[in-house]
Amino acid sequence: MARRALITGITGQDGAYLAQFLLDKGYEVHGMVRRASTENFERIAHLRDRLVLHQADLLDQLSIITLISEVRPHELYNLAAQSFVPTSWLQPLLTSEFTALGVTRVLEAIRLVDPSIRFFQASSSEMFGDAREEPQNERTPFWPRSPYGVAKAYGHWITVNYRESYGIFACSGIMFNHESPLRGKEFVTRKITDAVARIKLGRQEKLKLGNLDARRDWGFAGDFVRAMWLMLQQDKPDDYVVATGRQHTVREFCQLAFSYVGLHWEDYVEIDRALFRPAEVNRLRGDATKARTVLGWEPTVTFEQLVRMMVDADLERVQAELAQEVAAGGS
Ligand code: NAP
Ligand code: G4F
């Protein structure tokens, strides 16, 4: 019989990659989606016929209990969250409800319905914040610098606590930034590659950015979802840093993305002070030795390949939009 997985946040970047990964492994894949006035399933459109989607919301405890009772998954991946750091200063309470308390609601539902369900929590390197050491590993103390980071730290510790209190197979993946052509356009990498494509094709003139000196450890989302799955296949539940171990500045990302299409980034990028954050996470770099040793996990996509993959995808998309406009104008 096929194993059943339930993914919260299936409409997001990681949800789409994880759904594809699990389907390829022969899983029956269920996804939790929240009600919206307009459906928001673009990232999983190509998988739509192979998925079972259910309406529920991280804010609504009973909806999660009902969902888990109906699906009875073997594995549950909790990817849903308010995941954009700047929004967490604008909506700190809502961010805590989704990103912190939402985790407890899912864990409570597991405890009530079936404590043998294996649970993955999408934790974040943002918890290290003003990091006490570099590179960061599973023992590095947290010093979060945003309401999002604080909420994720809660989500991490409640996951550890339900493992220790109730023996639930609960794992926390402390994931560093991971990107792809499916990344939301508000995040800096996709904002840059979308702008590069639009500028190259004459649809945009300038790109406004904030802090170019911030350093991140950027990997490929497709690699990260494999680490999530590996964590739930082990004999014992545990927590793992997932990272490439390489660090680059936002400026370096710009340089590489613009030069890939033959443009010089300084001709197009403007600094907008409004995009600077009230408290910045200046540098992050992960040490994934434990994931490499215990899970046998390795990233397969380099920083340079990631940038090129994202620019290529955005060029293709913007070109297709232009072709559609021409066709519509000519008909
Ligand atoms: P994403 O693209 O922003 O997706 C977030 C998902 O959460 C969406 O499917 C969204 O649904 C769903 N969601 C938000 N609020 C919800 C609610 N109240 N009820 C139900 N669903 C809700 O994020 P991602 O990049 O795929 O990241 C996945 C997870 O990993 C997140 O928890 C994120 O915080 C964490 N993480 C990401 C990274 C990274 O670099 N990508 C690194 C570390 C940790 P809608 O489509 O309806 O909005
Ligand atoms: O792309 P970002 O918005 O990602 P951030 O804040 O690192 O958060 C992402 O990674 C976390 C893992 O550490 C996840 F948990 C979280 O859910 C999310 O996926 O910003 C990256 C850096 C920041 O230092 C920011 O100040 O880029 C800098 N930046 C400079 N200009 C900008 C911009 N960020 C954005 N979003 N937009 C800008 O114009």
Side-chain angles (χ1 to χ4, degrees), residues 9-15 32 34 40 43 56-59 79-83 98 122-125 148 152 175-179 183 187:
I10 195 165
T11 54
Q13 170 190 256
D14 290 6
M32 177 179 119
R34 54 179 169 167
N40 167 29
R43 291 187 180 102
D57 198 298
L58 281 181
L59 296 182
L79 310 186
Q82 191 302 94
S83 74
F98 287 4
S123 293
S124 167
S125 52
Y148 168 82
K152 279 289 177 186
M175 299 187 290
F176 283 63
N177 299 51
H178 47 279
E179 319 293 313
R183 186 58 142 153
F187 297 93

Side-chain angles (χ1 to χ4, degrees), residues 229-280:
W229 176 77
L230 281 168
M231 285 178 216
L232 297 198
Q233 312 313 309
Q234 304 305 305
D235 292 337
K236 284 192 321 184
D238 209 341
D239 310 318
Y240 298 87
V241 159
V242 189
T244 73
R246 289 183 64 202
Q247 185 187 62
H248 297 272
T249 58
V250 173
R251 183 180 287 99
E252 283 166 339
F253 195 105
C254 278
Q255 274 164 349
L256 205 56
F258 276 92
S259 66
Y260 181 51
V261 299
L263 299 176
H264 190 51
W265 71 279
E266 283 174 303
D267 295 337
Y268 303 97
V269 173
E270 288 177 353
I271 301 303
D272 182 350
R273 298 297 305 179
L275 293 167
F276 281 64
R277 298 175 180 187
E280 176 64 285

Side-chain angles (χ1 to χ4, degrees), residues 15-76:
Y17 278 98
L18 181 62
Q20 177 78 66
F21 177 87
L22 294 174
L23 285 170
D24 290 348
K25 289 228 166 278
Y27 277 71
E28 181 182 307
V29 179
H30 296 252
M32 177 179 119
V33 295
R34 54 179 169 167
R35 197 259 162 194
S37 63
T38 312
E39 270 190 4
N40 167 29
F41 299 162
E42 301 88 33
R43 291 187 180 102
I44 48 171
H46 59 300
L47 307 173
R48 190 64 192 82
D49 295 345
R50 301 164 67 199
L51 301 172
V52 190
L53 300 182
H54 308 259
Q55 246 181 47
D57 198 298
L58 281 181
L59 296 182
D60 189 320
Q61 178 73 74
L62 195 53
S63 75
I64 303 172
I65 295 171
T66 306
L67 169 63
I68 295 179
S69 307
E70 280 174 11
V71 176
R72 296 302 292 256
H74 301 99
E75 297 171 12
L76 195 160

Side-chain angles (χ1 to χ4, degrees), residues 115-188:
S116 75
I117 294 169
R118 293 189 170 205
F119 175 77
F120 172 83
Q121 167 60 14
S123 293
S124 167
S125 52
E126 189 71 15
M127 301 187 300
F128 295 122
D130 189 6
R132 306 286 100 178
E133 61 183 0
E134 190 172 308
Q136 296 86 41
N137 62 34
E138 293 78 6
R139 292 172 307 284
T140 303
F142 298 153
W143 196 286
R145 297 266 286 168
S146 62
Y148 168 82
V150 174
K152 279 289 177 186
Y154 173 94
H156 169 81
W157 284 116
I158 202 71
T159 300
V160 173
N161 183 260
Y162 271 55
R163 180 168 78 219
E164 293 178 351
S165 303
Y166 302 114
I168 291 175
F169 195 110
C171 300
S172 171
I174 306 174
M175 299 187 290
F176 283 63
N177 299 51
H178 47 279
E179 319 293 313
S180 75
L182 298 185
R183 186 58 142 153
K185 284 187 197 159
E186 68 274 39
F187 297 93
V188 77

